[in-house]
Amino acid sequence: MSVTEQSSRSDRKGDSDGKKKVLDRRIPRTRAMLQQALNSLIPKKGYEAITIKDICEAANVGRSTFYAHYTSKDDLKRSGFEPLRKLLVDRQREARVTARDDKSRSLGFSLTMFEHARDHRDHYRAMVGSRGGTVSLGTIRKILSDLVRDELAGTAERISGEAIPRELVIQYVVGAYMAVMTWWLDGGAKLPPQRIDALFRRLAIEGILRLGT
C-alpha cells in the first residue's frame, strides 16, 4: 500500500471516529431533552393525557428520533430513574466502606431515597393514581429490591434451610419502605428525612440483622 493510500485510509478513519464522537455526545443530550419535555408536561396535562407527539414537540425533535431512543412513553419515564439508581448504589457502597457497625451499614440508600422523594414530592403528587405513578413506583420498587437483594447476598452462607426465604425478606423490607414513604409524602413530608429514615431503620434493620444469625 502506498503512502498516499495509507494517508487516505487514516483520514477516513479519523473522520469516522470524529462523527462517532459527535453522535455519542448527542445521545445523552437528546435523552435529557426528552426527559425534560416529559417532566414539564406532567404538571400541565397529567401523565395519561401526554402523547408521543406532545413530547416530541416540547423537545423539538421528530418521532423517529424519539423511537431511536425509547420504545414508549413508559420506557422514557422508567429511564428517567437511572440517575437515581446510580446515586443509591453509590450511597450503599459508601455505607459499606465507612460505617462503623452492621446497623450503620444496612440500608445505606435509605436516607438518600427519602431526601429524593422530599425534593420531588410535587412531581409524585402530580402522578398519584395515574399510569405515570404506577410506572414510577414500580421502577422505584425494582431499584430498591435490587439494592436490598444485593445487601442480603452476603448473608447467603449464614442462612440455614429453616430460615425465612431471602426473597420474602426483600419484599417485606421494600414493601414496608414504600408504604412508609407514601404515608410520609401524603402527610406533606413534615418529618425531616433524617427523622423518618431513623424511624424506618429502627423498625427494619433488626430483622435484617437477625436473618444471618
Side-chain angles (χ1 to χ4, degrees):
M1 182 183 298
S2 69
V3 174
T4 301
E5 289 174 331
Q6 289 178 341
S7 177
S8 177
R9 179 171 294 184
S10 177
D11 289 342
R12 287 197 299 270
K13 185 178 185 301
D15 290 343
S16 176
D17 290 345
K19 290 178 181 178
K20 184 177 181 180
K21 289 179 180 178
V22 170
L23 289 174
D24 288 345
R25 287 197 296 269
R26 287 177 181 172
I27 289 172
R29 185 164 62 242
T30 300
R31 290 178 177 176
M33 288 167 56
L34 290 168
Q35 287 291 344
Q36 290 168 5
L38 176 60
N39 291 335
S40 69
L41 289 167
I42 289 173
K44 300 174 184 176
K45 301 189 65 170
Y47 184 84
E48 292 180 349
I50 298 170
T51 64
I52 301 299
K53 180 182 178 182
D54 293 331
I55 297 170
C56 291
E57 288 180 351
N60 195 28
V61 300
R63 290 175 67 92
S64 60
T65 298
F66 178 93
Y67 286 112
H69 296 274
Y70 303 104
T71 60
S72 64
K73 178 176 66 176
D74 289 352
D75 187 32
L76 171 61
K77 185 62 188 168
R78 290 187 194 97
S79 71
F81 287 94
E82 182 60 18
L84 173 63
R85 185 193 69 79
K86 291 180 179 178
L87 176 62
L88 297 180
V89 168
D90 288 344
R91 291 293 179 271
Q92 187 175 44
R93 287 173 180 167
E94 288 174 10
R96 287 174 178 172
V97 173
T98 62
R100 299 183 303 274
D101 51 44
D102 286 345
K103 286 188 177 181
S104 299
R105 278 190 289 272
S106 295
L107 305 179
F109 60 84
S110 177
L111 175 58
T112 301
M113 183 67 238
F114 279 125
E115 289 173 339
H116 179 276
R118 188 261 329 264
D119 293 343
H120 296 82
R121 62 183 181 273
D122 290 339
H123 185 72
Y124 284 117
R125 283 196 194 119
M127 294 190 299
V128 170
S130 73
R131 171 65 185 172
T134 300
V135 171
S136 296
L137 293 177
T139 304
I140 292 172
R141 178 181 285 272
K142 184 180 186 308
I143 291 170
L144 299 184
S145 295
D146 289 343
L147 289 166
V148 176
R149 186 175 293 109
D150 179 66
E151 183 167 313
L152 295 181
T155 67
E157 302 82 4
R158 296 178 285 167
I159 299 176
S160 70
E162 300 298 319
I164 300 173
R166 191 182 306 106
E167 193 61 29
L168 174 58
V169 177
I170 292 167
Q171 296 306 316
Y172 176 83
V173 171
V174 174
Y177 189 96
M178 298 294 291
V180 169
M181 185 174 70
T182 300
W183 169 81
W184 180 58
L185 292 175
D186 286 347
K190 294 177 182 177
L191 289 173
Q194 293 80 2
R195 179 59 177 159
I196 194 70
D197 174 65
L199 292 172
F200 174 77
R201 290 166 65 83
R202 191 168 74 186
L203 289 169
I205 288 177
E206 193 64 34
I208 293 175
L209 294 178
R210 286 181 180 179
L211 185 64
T213 61

